[in-house]
Amino acid sequence: MSIPQDHLATLLGAYDDNLRHLEARFGVRIRTQGDTWFVDGDPAAAARVERLVSQLSGMMDEGHRLSDRDVKDAADLLVADTAVDLREHFLKSGQLRQAGRRRIVAKTTNQKLYLEAIDRHDIVFGIGPAGTGKTYLAMAQAVNALLAKKVSRIILARPAVEAGEKLGFLPGDLQEKVNPYLRPLYDALYDMLEIEKAERLLERGTIEVAPIAFMRGRTLNDAFVILDEAQNTTSEQMKMFLTRLGFGSKAVITGDITQIDLPHGRISGLVEAMNVVGRVEGIAFVHFDERDVVRHKLVQAIVKAYEAHSPSHSSGR
């Protein structure tokens, strides 16, 4: 394959890291000589490498900027779905996903389905392991909706459930005790908005971060509501949350049913909701797996290893 000179740096990646990723994902050997690549291996796999290079080069020719991460994501997408149209995936799924200072592009097929489900439905459940982008993408959609004035506020909620540590032993008053449990929501928020802007919105109450217990007795109109770590809600909390939704509002519920920290014998509200409202029209469920993990490549292997080691762990207690 002959590679356009101005595309080489992107396709190769830093220290040829993208090249090594393509070799590992497609099971081929790639040798380079100037702007020419020689791909040795199974003809079908070599054809997929050629298709990847051709489609990504075409996008760059049109002026679209691609990152090293985009090249790796494209390879992962082609491995998962040999018929995927990379141009359609990156451009169509990313064109309306400007969340504050971040441009959000779905990196897997399930992430694309998740973003589309949030667009089309008022209640969406995103269920799967850590690192699949469930909370981050929901936050991106929420910020996008707020900045576009589709909603007037964002409400971020989490159950304050101990995962090995006890709340009572943490220093400070109640708000200071629960803040560590809400920290991941703040982190995602600050990643998308300038800190000063995020702080102003928090001070005004335009963005609210709170334990789920604070939702009781409220009706949430004209809001984008995210319930994170929903596997740690009780049945009562989940029912309470789902019935808070008011006019002009959306709710996204995220959780991992293999990571339930409730006391033994308590039923997870998320597990129960999957059975109770799973067929209710207007509610969408998107399930993620280890192929959707977009953190360090070892995280994907770790998730898969734990699933293989203890399949009964996913039953949820």
Side-chain angles (χ1 to χ4, degrees):
M1 290 183 293
S2 181
I3 311 295
Q5 191 70 36
D6 54 344
H7 301 169
L8 270 175
T10 299
L11 293 170
L12 288 170
Y15 303 104
D16 292 349
D17 187 47
N18 285 345
L19 208 63
R20 304 287 83 82
H21 186 79
L22 297 183
E23 289 181 324
R25 294 300 278 151
F26 294 112
V28 297
R29 176 71 177 165
I30 303 174
R31 295 177 291 111
T32 63
Q33 185 176 321
D35 59 1
T36 303
W37 286 13
F38 300 90
V39 184
D40 301 321
D42 178 76
R48 284 197 289 274
V49 174
E50 184 176 18
R51 184 175 165 206
L52 178 145
V53 170
S54 174
Q55 291 195 26
L56 295 187
S57 290
M59 291 166 60
M60 286 186 278
D61 281 337
E62 294 171 6
H64 299 289
R65 295 180 60 184
L66 298 177
S67 67
D68 285 359
R69 181 71 248 180
D70 290 333
V71 177
K72 293 184 176 69
D73 291 339
D76 296 343
L77 284 165
L78 269 177
V79 169
D81 179 6
T82 56
V84 68
D85 185 324
L86 296 176
R87 188 181 187 284
E88 179 184 358
H89 176 88
F90 280 100
L91 301 186
K92 186 176 179 181
S93 68
Q95 62 186 0
L96 297 177
R97 310 294 179 184
Q98 190 70 32
R101 57 180 179 172
R102 292 288 183 184
R103 183 176 70 92
I104 307 298
V105 177
K107 299 181 186 301
T108 70
T109 300
N110 282 333
Q111 286 192 352
K112 183 179 180 182
L113 293 173
Y114 185 54
L115 289 171
E116 291 173 349
I118 295 173
D119 282 339
R120 296 172 183 171
H121 297 83
D122 288 339
I123 298 179
V124 176
F125 286 80
I127 301 169
T132 51
K134 305 181 300 295
T135 303
Y136 193 86
L137 292 176
M139 185 75 77
Q141 290 284 68
V143 169
N144 188 36
L146 181 68
L147 297 180
K149 301 188 184 304
K150 295 178 181 178
V151 297
S152 62
R153 56 182 171 155
I154 296 173
I155 299 174
L156 312 171
R158 252 190 173 206
V161 175
E162 295 98 338
E165 302 92 19
K166 296 296 183 182
L167 269 172
F169 289 100
L170 292 174
D173 58 22
L174 177 60
Q175 189 63 45
E176 290 170 326
K177 287 177 187 292
V178 299
N179 269 345
Y181 296 90
L182 306 174
R183 191 73 247 168
L185 297 175
Y186 285 106
D187 290 343
L189 179 63
Y190 291 142
D191 197 41
M192 293 172 197
L193 292 173
E194 299 291 342
I195 292 178
E196 295 79 7
K197 183 170 186 176
E199 292 290 354
R200 286 198 305 271
L201 293 171
L202 286 164
E203 287 173 8
R204 294 175 192 161
T206 303
I207 298 178
E208 179 182 348
V209 184
I212 188 174
F214 288 22
M215 300 295 106
R216 190 172 300 279
R218 302 174 63 183
T219 299
L220 307 175
N221 292 317
D222 198 27
F224 197 117
V225 192
I226 299 173
L227 173 57
D228 192 34
E229 296 289 327
Q231 75 276 4
N232 288 328
T233 59
T234 63
S235 299
E236 297 80 9
Q237 286 176 328
M238 179 60 75
K239 181 181 178 182
M240 178 271 292
F241 177 82
L242 291 175
T243 55
R244 295 308 92 198
L245 199 64
F247 294 107
S249 292
K250 278 183 180 287
V252 179
I253 299 97
T254 70
D256 176 3
I257 59 174
T258 70
Q259 297 291 330
I260 298 172
D261 298 312
L262 291 170
H264 186 69
R266 297 299 299 271
I267 298 174
S268 165
L270 178 58
V271 173
E272 185 179 69
M274 291 167 64
N275 298 319
V276 175
V277 301
R279 296 186 179 180
V280 174
E281 188 175 351
I283 297 178
F285 283 78
V286 179
H287 294 269
F288 298 87
D289 57 37
E290 77 279 352
R291 292 170 297 180
D292 300 301
V293 173
V294 291
R295 291 180 181 172
H296 192 288
K297 62 183 179 181
L298 284 177
V299 175
Q300 188 178 76
I302 290 167
V303 170
K304 193 171 184 178
Y306 268 98
E307 287 183 351
H309 176 70
S310 182
S312 62
H313 187 64
S314 62
S315 61
R317 55 183 174 86

